[in-house]
Amino acid sequence: MHQYVEAAPGVRLWTEQRGDADAPPLLLIMGAQASGLGWPEPLVDSLAAHHRVIRYDQRDTGRATWSFDRQPYRIADLADDVITVLDALGIERAHLVGMSLGGMLVQMVLADHPDRLISASLIGTSALSTTPYTRPDGTQLPADELPGIFPEVLELWSRPVEDHGLEAELDRRVAHWRVLAGDQLPFDAGFFRTLERRIIEHTGHYTTNNAPGRADDSDMLRTDQLAENEVPTLVMAAPAEPVFPPPHPQHIAQVIGNARLVEIPGMGHALPPAVHAPLADAILAHTGAAS
């Protein structure tokens, strides 16, 4: 079932619901520049066997309103959109699963609206905390000195995006996923090409948008609130992660109260078929215990 939700005057978000309407709700929140269809169908179906699963297009993605150039917004507004979606769909409390920027939005909701969550799951993201990371030997590493984005990712992101037609754009997107996926699992180019073709068909065009990278990212830190968190929180550790490499997930699990860590073998900053089953198993075990 598809439904549009008004996030701001003149700004709509596309939402999709799947699964039993009476099952515990689970909201999937994708990363920057990523449509809700970035959550692969097999993973969504696995989760929907136990949950009322909702995924949505954030502003400037998919079928949502592309509004930033005429109506700039803050990253904090995207976190507020999470609550807007829950309200519009009549959901009082939900399990939240966030990837990348989506994981940051989940942390902001954890801190600001803990009463709206049953549980939280974080994938491929970074802690919104200034608390240092404590290494296994007991020494500490300042949060701002944790490893940064891999150079090959930054180089890829620095390239200008040029329009050479649909197939060339699909080539570019598949090459992007190849780098993000890391080097520990075989890369399935056909899977990601099909994924991106569906996203383009869903969106209606293949224009790219870097709005989240231009949005005001002030007022995102939630150090004290996250430390006091009581909502059951699962942190997925991805050993091949090139955007927020280890020990970012270990740091998150340290600085968020009531958090625990689960490693997804071989995972990078992508959701290829090889991680669907272990990811679904980890999330469902977590949501089942929290419920």
Side-chain angles (χ1 to χ4, degrees):
M1 181 174 69
H2 301 168
Q3 180 177 332
Y4 282 95
V5 169
E6 185 175 6
V11 178
R12 299 192 309 171
L13 310 178
W14 174 90
T15 72
E16 178 202 67
Q17 300 183 63
R18 190 177 305 185
D20 186 343
D22 294 325
L26 185 153
L27 179 63
L28 298 171
I29 307 171
M30 244 303 154
Q33 304 180 49
S35 161
L37 266 64
W39 295 102
E41 297 298 311
L43 176 59
V44 175
D45 286 339
S46 294
L47 298 175
H50 301 269
H51 289 282
R52 172 189 176 189
V53 175
I54 304 101
R55 58 181 175 175
Y56 71 102
D57 289 340
Q58 296 193 53
R59 305 184 195 199
D60 290 275
T61 72
R63 294 181 182 175
T65 306
W66 291 45
S67 59
F68 187 85
D69 288 337
R70 59 178 172 75
Q71 195 171 343
Y73 48 81
R74 306 169 301 148
I75 298 297
D77 294 326
L78 300 181
D80 291 341
D81 288 349
V82 175
I83 300 300
T84 298
V85 169
L86 295 180
D87 288 345
L89 301 183
I91 298 172
E92 182 178 350
R93 298 175 69 228
H95 301 279
L96 300 189
V97 180
M99 180 165 183
S100 196
L101 174 63
M104 297 180 188
L105 302 183
V106 170
Q107 291 178 67
M108 296 173 76
V109 176
L110 262 181
D112 299 342
H113 304 280
D115 57 311
R116 302 302 299 270
L117 284 84
I118 306 171
S119 77
S121 298
L122 306 175
I123 308 167
T125 192
S126 183
L128 300 183
S129 172
T130 58
T131 303
Y133 167 61
T134 302
R135 300 183 181 94
D137 64 5
T139 60
Q140 292 193 327
L141 179 69
D144 60 2
E145 293 182 16
L146 287 166
I149 301 170
F150 283 12
E152 54 266 38
V153 175
L154 292 174
E155 192 278 327
L156 193 66
W157 288 352
S158 71
R159 297 177 189 174
V161 177
E162 301 175 344
D163 185 355
H164 297 290
L166 173 60
E167 295 304 319
E169 175 61 17
L170 287 168
D171 289 342
R172 186 191 70 81
R173 295 188 185 193
V174 170
H176 182 217
W177 283 121
R178 187 183 297 275
V179 173
L180 292 183
D183 57 4
Q184 295 191 18
L185 295 172
F187 183 72
D188 187 341
F191 167 80
F192 284 104
R193 194 175 193 87
T194 299
L195 175 73
E196 288 296 340
R197 193 181 294 277
R198 287 191 69 247
I199 290 171
I200 289 170
E201 291 172 353
H202 166 77
T203 304
H205 57 81
Y206 56 83
T207 305
T208 60
N209 193 320
N210 66 347
R214 293 181 285 146
D216 179 358
D217 62 359
S218 61
D219 192 33
M220 288 180 64
L221 289 174
R222 297 291 191 276
T223 301
D224 293 339
Q225 300 97 314
L226 292 175
E228 297 168 357
N229 173 63
E230 297 180 356
V231 175
T233 300
L234 177 67
V235 182
M236 256 69 77
E241 169 69 61
V243 178
F244 299 110
H248 276 276
Q250 290 77 10
H251 178 234
I252 298 172
Q254 286 182 3
V255 303
I256 297 181
N258 201 22
R260 63 186 185 90
L261 191 71
V262 171
E263 181 169 305
I264 306 300
M267 187 173 173
H269 199 78
L271 300 175
V275 308
H276 295 171
L279 199 57
D281 289 346
I283 293 171
L284 291 173
H286 178 62
T287 60
S291 295

